[in-house]
Amino acid sequence: MLNKEQIAKRIAQELQDGFYVNLGIGIPTLVANYIPDGLDVVLQSENGLLGMGPFPFEGEEDPDLINAGKQTITTIPGSAFFDSAMSFGMIRAGKVHLTVLGAMEVADNGDIANWKIPGKMVKGMGGAMDLVAAAQNIIVAMQHTNPKGESKLLSKCTLPLTGVGCVKKVVTDLGVFNITENGFECIEYAPGVTINEIIAKTAGRLTIAPTVKEIVL
Amino acid sequence: MLNKEQIAKRIAQELQDGFYVNLGIGIPTLVANYIPDGLDVVLQSENGLLGMGPFPFEGEEDPDLINAGKQTITTIPGSAFFDSAMSFGMIRAGKVHLTVLGAMEVADNGDIANWKIPGKMVKGMGGAMDLVAAAQNIIVAMQHTNPKGESKLLSKCTLPLTGVGCVKKVVTDLGVFNITENGFECIEYAPGVTINEIIAKTAGRLTIAPTVKEIVL
Amino acid sequence: MKKVVSGADEAIQDIPSGAVLMLGGFGLCGIPENCIAALVKKGINNLTCISNNAGVDDFGIGLMLQKKQVKKMISSYVGENAEFERQMLSGELEVELIPQGTLATRCMATAYGMPAVYLLAGYGTEVAEGKEIRNFNGKNYLLENAFNSDFAIVKAWKGDTQGNLIFKDTARNFNPLMAMAGKITIVEVEELVEPGVLDPNFIHVPGIYVHRIFKGLHYEKRIEQRTVRKVSK
Amino acid sequence: MKKVVSGADEAIQDIPSGAVLMLGGFGLCGIPENCIAALVKKGINNLTCISNNAGVDDFGIGLMLQKKQVKKMISSYVGENAEFERQMLSGELEVELIPQGTLATRCMATAYGMPAVYLLAGYGTEVAEGKEIRNFNGKNYLLENAFNSDFAIVKAWKGDTQGNLIFKDTARNFNPLMAMAGKITIVEVEELVEPGVLDPNFIHVPGIYVHRIFKGLHYEKRIEQRTVRKVSK
């Protein structure tokens, strides 16, 4: 099983030189810690920044400089600020190569639900619907099952959707799954996890890739 | 009869403090010379400048600083540059209070033709169609008749249209005309011009305002 | 062309109860603190607020919520606010949630004189309900209307007396878009300068879009999530 | 992420005959002189050029017209060019005339991922022929498609090696819009600097939109209408 840091580390393997990347709140944010050396990857924050740097040193926080999670951050050489319309414009125009975000549920056709639980306080979708509708390539980082042990990889989402047919890949604590015409395709499994466990804990259509192998971090 | 300078001077009387104004090529450009003292009027050039200043002094021309007529110009304190989309965006959003432009023909319903003569080389509409479609208030500056002596104030334009029902006022060498439900309404006549001459030289529907008076410059 | 007003009270004096307001800012970053305080003091109510967020309990639009001045919020994300939640669950407060990019682009549409725009976000979700859907080049888009607001209230970094504005860092966010979208645009700035001080090549919002401007006072600039790293030894 | 190329020849080396190009500039102001020279040298043809103007006989896109490299011009204004006129009247050159604001906004639509936009310009004129017309709030708009080009070729004032761009004065015009609209965007700059030199608050086009950048050489910057005033005594 992968812990959160390991999920992030595995997703970081998807990065390529020159990628512009948007990282959602939670596990996705951790991906920034594992960008492979030598790759030039630029982080986009949808509140209006390309070239997001690390958190500021204590005492150097600037209230005018935050990320989409409202955390204080820094710039790096080559950063650029812009307004919210341009920010989502570049996402919509396909300029952001990769978006990583969390989810409550993913369906085997790429549908995603991550913004609303009926009966609970709804805080809003923020930029999630824009990101999932418009990004070129979307990877979901999440736990394979919910706290009750129920699969979050479903044949159909039960929660209100954030976007349809948009997720390309899911990385969970149990493995890595492409979304194909035939549903989830397990291409890698986590150390210590069996294929049978993955089959048991996946509710949506699942195939196991002939080349399936253990995740190497 | 008014000469070109006088037509421009009469149009300048329409300016109000705080107006943002777009002036077309030809007579409209001359309006800038007659902005009444004490009025704060800002000139927009649709190639991307608010706050157009006078021509540069000899030797101070900057090829990167031109107006929509491609003439070298200058800025003034408070000028701002922007791209062509924002330029026409602010026009479309009604932020430009007044547009003054020339015309080949104006119809008594406010239609205007000023970009194309069939059979002759067509150079294009430039920004004219955007301006006439979107400006809040459009005044046409032109000669009352063409070189053959035929009226340019018509019941219907004979040339391809630039815009429909958009002109609010016409200032010619003979007088000042509002465009109303009843067609052209003569509200002022030029010194030395008779109402009969105006009637004779106007082909579109024409009424004479009860308050009609001589133009005072 | 007198755009400069004495302060927030004068700037907002003619905003009536029932008005539709746009309020700039993302979270608590780049919010018009002075104008919000003046709106609270003025005590008008039944307001519709178009703003990406709704502040926190004791800061930002949260202050207006405490005074029950807001009838409806149009936002993309409204967490972090207990009073908001109470009013929403009790039905006192109407809430319309809109994807963040759609919110931004509907402001831009207004600013650019476009009556409606086709956007991808929300297709296939409850956001699409009742909206026109149209396929272009194999993708489905929703037709989203430009916003129609009475006043836009924004915070800029620097501005000149003609209304030219520049913004700082991510305090830019929705501010320039709303500044350009307001029927009447009210701007508070940290620094108010004479025309000619700001470089004309680096104006974010040209003065043509701005109706009232003043130098704001006493910015608190509260930080919502203070995150830092230690100096590495 | 290597965006810096050695010069215009390398920047345009993979542009094939028949390509659809966007070319920045207004009149002769802010045109990509180096790239145009390289395109002329390369000798490809059957090009479709989206550009507000078509240059003059011996400068700008006029140089490409002299070599009969252009199959179609999509512009708002094409005067001041005898060879252009000859080719157009003889039917060698196809010309599509578009209102200037529509041209700009169709670029912006591409840049912002909007498939089409509703615009006022041209309603009731021959420009509206064959286009969808729709009434919003009592006004009639034409539905205008975003542009689909293969390459955008623009001129900026300064740029950094990551592709962040700034433009000078009215040499900005269509350049940032086209830079953001290109499938592949090629930029020539007067000054090429390292990341961090340009102020992140004053970037006109963020590097994410830019694929290739180089420092241009020997800018002529021809003036089309030299207008001056005398020093007043």
Side-chain angles (χ1 to χ4, degrees):
Chain A
M1 293 234 305
L2 302 186
N3 62 25
K4 289 179 182 184
E5 295 285 343
Q6 290 169 319
I7 291 174
K9 206 167 170 182
R10 173 59 188 83
I11 289 172
Q13 294 177 6
E14 304 290 318
L15 298 172
Q16 294 176 29
D17 190 45
F19 262 26
Y20 290 90
V21 178
N22 183 294
L23 301 176
I25 296 169
I27 301 176
T29 301
L30 303 173
V31 174
N33 301 331
Y34 300 105
I35 297 170
D37 284 343
L39 289 198
D40 209 346
V41 169
V42 178
L43 301 180
Q44 201 246 21
S45 189
E46 69 266 26
N47 57 321
L49 171 63
L50 269 169
M52 181 162 54
F55 295 145
F57 291 118
E58 223 171 312
E60 294 182 2
E61 313 91 290
D62 181 345
D64 289 329
L65 181 45
I66 64 171
N67 64 17
K70 288 148 194 167
Q71 300 171 310
T72 45
I73 49 159
T74 57
T75 56
I76 54 173
S79 289
F81 295 107
F82 35 83
D83 66 48
S84 301
M86 186 183 279
S87 184
F88 287 96
M90 64 181 64
I91 292 165
R92 235 184 270 122
K95 305 296 175 181
V96 172
H97 299 95
L98 175 64
T99 288
V100 184
L101 72 177
M104 300 166 181
E105 297 177 346
V106 175
D108 60 22
N109 66 348
D111 289 358
I112 177 173
N114 72 348
W115 78 285
K116 183 176 183 177
I117 300 175
K120 290 206 178 174
M121 166 70 185
V122 180
K123 293 190 170 185
M125 67 293 281
M129 281 194 184
D130 308 275
L131 281 160
V132 301
Q136 288 186 43
N137 186 13
I138 296 165
I139 299 181
V140 164
M142 66 176 189
Q143 303 302 320
H144 206 97
T145 55
N146 66 21
K148 294 186 202 159
E150 298 161 341
S151 180
K152 295 168 72 175
L153 284 71
L154 304 172
S155 57
K156 193 174 186 326
C157 292
T158 65
L159 296 170
L161 294 180
T162 309
V164 295
C166 51
V167 177
K168 301 288 189 295
K169 188 172 286 203
V170 183
V171 179
T172 75
D173 48 336
L174 301 189
V176 181
F177 306 84
N178 284 333
I179 292 185
T180 71
E181 284 183 350
N182 302 315
F184 300 109
E185 180 192 41
C186 179
I187 57 170
E188 295 176 32
Y189 52 88
V193 172
T194 65
I195 296 294
N196 282 342
E197 182 179 355
I198 287 172
I199 293 172
K201 292 186 172 173
T202 303
R205 287 177 299 152
L206 175 71
T207 61
I208 309 297
T211 56
V212 68
K213 56 178 185 177
E214 187 171 295
I215 292 172
V216 180
L217 294 175
Chain B
M1 295 236 302
L2 302 186
N3 61 27
K4 290 178 180 182
E5 294 286 342
Q6 290 168 319
I7 292 173
K9 205 167 172 182
R10 174 58 189 82
I11 289 173
Q13 294 177 6
E14 304 290 318
L15 299 172
Q16 296 176 27
D17 191 44
F19 261 26
Y20 290 90
V21 177
N22 183 294
L23 301 175
I25 296 169
I27 300 175
T29 301
L30 302 173
V31 173
N33 300 330
Y34 300 104
I35 298 170
D37 283 344
L39 289 198
D40 210 346
V41 169
V42 178
L43 301 181
Q44 201 246 21
S45 189
E46 69 265 27
N47 57 320
L49 171 62
L50 269 167
M52 181 163 53
F55 295 144
F57 292 118
E58 222 168 312
E60 294 181 3
E61 312 91 290
D62 181 346
D64 289 329
L65 181 44
I66 64 171
N67 65 17
K70 289 150 194 165
Q71 299 171 311
T72 46
I73 49 160
T74 58
T75 56
I76 55 174
S79 289
F81 294 106
F82 35 82
D83 67 47
S84 300
M86 184 182 280
S87 184
F88 286 97
M90 64 181 65
I91 292 166
R92 236 183 270 121
K95 304 296 174 180
V96 172
H97 299 95
L98 175 62
T99 288
V100 184
L101 72 177
M104 299 167 182
E105 297 177 347
V106 176
D108 59 22
N109 65 347
D111 289 358
I112 177 173
N114 71 348
W115 78 285
K116 183 176 182 176
I117 300 175
K120 289 205 181 176
M121 165 70 184
V122 180
K123 293 189 170 184
M125 66 293 280
M129 281 193 184
D130 308 273
L131 282 159
V132 301
Q136 288 186 40
N137 186 12
I138 296 165
I139 299 180
V140 164
M142 66 175 189
Q143 302 302 318
H144 205 96
T145 55
N146 66 20
K148 293 184 201 159
E150 297 161 345
S151 181
K152 295 168 71 175
L153 285 73
L154 305 172
S155 56
K156 192 173 186 328
C157 293
T158 64
L159 296 170
L161 293 180
T162 309
V164 295
C166 51
V167 177
K168 301 288 188 297
K169 189 173 285 205
V170 183
V171 179
T172 75
D173 47 334
L174 301 189
V176 182
F177 305 85
N178 285 333
I179 292 184
T180 71
E181 284 184 351
N182 301 314
F184 300 109
E185 179 191 43
C186 178
I187 58 169
E188 295 176 33
Y189 52 87
V193 172
T194 65
I195 295 294
N196 281 342
E197 182 180 355
I198 287 172
I199 293 172
K201 291 186 172 172
T202 303
R205 288 177 297 151
L206 176 72
T207 61
I208 308 298
T211 56
V212 70
K213 59 180 183 173
E214 187 171 296
I215 292 171
V216 180
L217 293 176
Chain C
M1 177 160 42
K2 194 183 152 341
K3 296 185 176 183
V4 178
V5 296
S6 57
D9 291 333
E10 183 184 348
I12 63 135
Q13 65 178 353
D14 59 345
I15 299 184
S17 287
V20 179
L21 310 182
M22 288 181 163
L23 289 140
F26 180 93
L28 303 179
C29 182
I31 61 173
E33 296 184 20
N34 280 250
C35 284
I36 289 171
L39 287 166
V40 170
K41 192 171 109 187
K42 190 172 158 71
I44 51 170
N45 53 33
N46 270 310
L47 299 171
T48 296
C49 295
I50 303 168
S51 181
N52 190 57
N53 311 91
V56 294
D57 271 314
D58 61 344
F59 202 60
I61 294 175
L63 297 169
M64 294 163 67
L65 289 161
Q66 295 284 351
K67 290 286 177 70
K68 301 191 171 53
Q69 295 180 274
V70 182
K71 180 185 68 177
K72 181 176 181 179
M73 281 299 309
I74 300 175
S75 303
S76 86
Y77 191 82
V78 294
E80 341 304 354
N81 194 322
E83 174 62 16
F84 184 101
E85 187 166 346
R86 193 198 62 70
Q87 290 183 24
M88 181 172 156
L89 293 176
S90 72
E92 291 168 61
L93 177 66
E94 194 181 338
V95 178
E96 184 179 341
L97 293 169
I98 293 180
Q100 195 176 136
T102 299
L103 189 70
T105 312
R106 289 175 63 185
C107 293
M108 190 179 78
T110 310
Y112 278 65
M114 300 190 289
V117 285
Y118 286 105
L119 299 177
L120 288 166
Y123 171 72
T125 76
E126 63 183 54
V127 163
E129 281 167 24
K131 286 184 184 151
E132 174 182 325
I133 290 163
R134 184 157 173 174
N135 190 292
F136 291 92
N137 313 313
K139 286 186 189 175
N140 290 306
Y141 295 79
L142 310 185
L143 185 67
E144 300 278 5
N145 292 324
F147 278 122
N148 212 348
S149 72
D150 299 314
F151 295 85
I153 302 175
V154 310
K155 156 76 170 35
W157 181 25
K158 298 180 185 177
D160 70 23
T161 56
Q162 297 201 3
N164 293 304
L165 307 178
I166 64 178
F167 301 86
K168 180 169 165 284
D169 298 2
T170 56
R172 191 182 316 187
N173 57 64
F174 288 83
N175 280 302
L177 303 165
M178 290 179 170
M180 298 195 293
K183 256 197 221 73
I184 295 176
T185 293
I186 298 168
V187 185
E188 52 179 274
V189 295
E190 291 180 59
E191 211 176 306
L192 183 61
V193 300
E194 289 301 311
V197 173
L198 304 179
D199 185 330
N201 276 312
F202 302 121
I203 303 293
H204 295 134
V205 172
I208 192 170
Y209 286 107
V210 172
H211 303 89
R212 302 172 195 170
I213 189 166
F214 67 95
K215 182 180 174 349
L217 302 171
H218 313 302
Y219 283 101
E220 177 181 340
K221 292 195 184 182
R222 195 181 295 185
I223 291 175
E224 212 162 339
Q225 304 281 343
R226 188 177 304 269
T227 45
V228 296
R229 62 186 151 144
K230 302 281 180 198
V231 179
S232 60
K233 309 280 174 180
Chain D
M1 180 158 44
K2 195 183 151 344
K3 297 186 176 185
V4 178
V5 295
S6 58
D9 290 333
E10 183 184 346
I12 64 135
Q13 66 179 352
D14 59 346
I15 300 183
S17 287
V20 178
L21 310 182
M22 289 181 162
L23 289 140
F26 179 93
L28 303 179
C29 181
I31 60 173
E33 296 184 21
N34 282 249
C35 284
I36 289 171
L39 287 166
V40 169
K41 193 170 105 187
K42 189 170 159 70
I44 50 170
N45 52 34
N46 271 311
L47 299 171
T48 295
C49 294
I50 302 168
S51 180
N52 190 57
N53 312 92
V56 293
D57 271 313
D58 60 344
F59 202 59
I61 293 175
L63 297 169
M64 294 163 66
L65 289 162
Q66 295 285 349
K67 290 284 178 71
K68 302 192 169 56
Q69 295 180 276
V70 183
K71 180 184 68 179
K72 181 176 181 180
M73 280 299 310
I74 299 175
S75 304
S76 87
Y77 191 82
V78 293
E80 341 305 354
N81 194 322
E83 175 61 16
F84 184 101
E85 188 167 343
R86 192 198 62 70
Q87 289 183 23
M88 180 173 156
L89 294 176
S90 72
E92 290 167 61
L93 177 67
E94 195 182 338
V95 178
E96 185 178 341
L97 293 169
I98 293 179
Q100 194 175 137
T102 299
L103 188 71
T105 312
R106 289 176 63 185
C107 293
M108 190 179 79
T110 310
Y112 278 65
M114 303 189 288
V117 286
Y118 287 104
L119 299 177
L120 287 166
Y123 171 73
T125 76
E126 61 183 53
V127 163
E129 281 167 24
K131 287 185 182 150
E132 174 182 323
I133 290 163
R134 184 156 172 173
N135 190 292
F136 292 92
N137 313 312
K139 285 186 190 174
N140 289 305
Y141 294 80
L142 310 187
L143 185 66
E144 300 277 5
N145 291 324
F147 279 122
N148 211 348
S149 71
D150 300 313
F151 295 85
I153 302 174
V154 310
K155 155 77 171 38
W157 180 27
K158 298 179 186 178
D160 70 23
T161 56
Q162 298 202 2
N164 293 304
L165 307 179
I166 63 177
F167 301 86
K168 180 167 166 283
D169 299 4
T170 55
R172 191 181 316 185
N173 56 65
F174 288 83
N175 280 302
L177 303 165
M178 291 180 170
M180 297 194 293
K183 255 197 223 73
I184 296 176
T185 293
I186 298 167
V187 185
E188 53 179 273
V189 296
E190 290 180 59
E191 214 176 303
L192 182 62
V193 300
E194 288 302 311
V197 174
L198 304 179
D199 185 330
N201 276 310
F202 302 121
I203 303 292
H204 295 133
V205 172
I208 192 171
Y209 286 107
V210 172
H211 303 89
R212 302 171 195 169
I213 189 167
F214 67 95
K215 181 178 173 355
L217 303 171
H218 313 304
Y219 283 100
E220 177 180 339
K221 293 196 183 180
R222 195 182 295 185
I223 291 175
E224 212 162 343
Q225 304 279 344
R226 188 178 302 270
T227 46
V228 296
R229 63 187 150 140
K230 301 283 180 196
V231 180
S232 59
K233 307 283 174 178

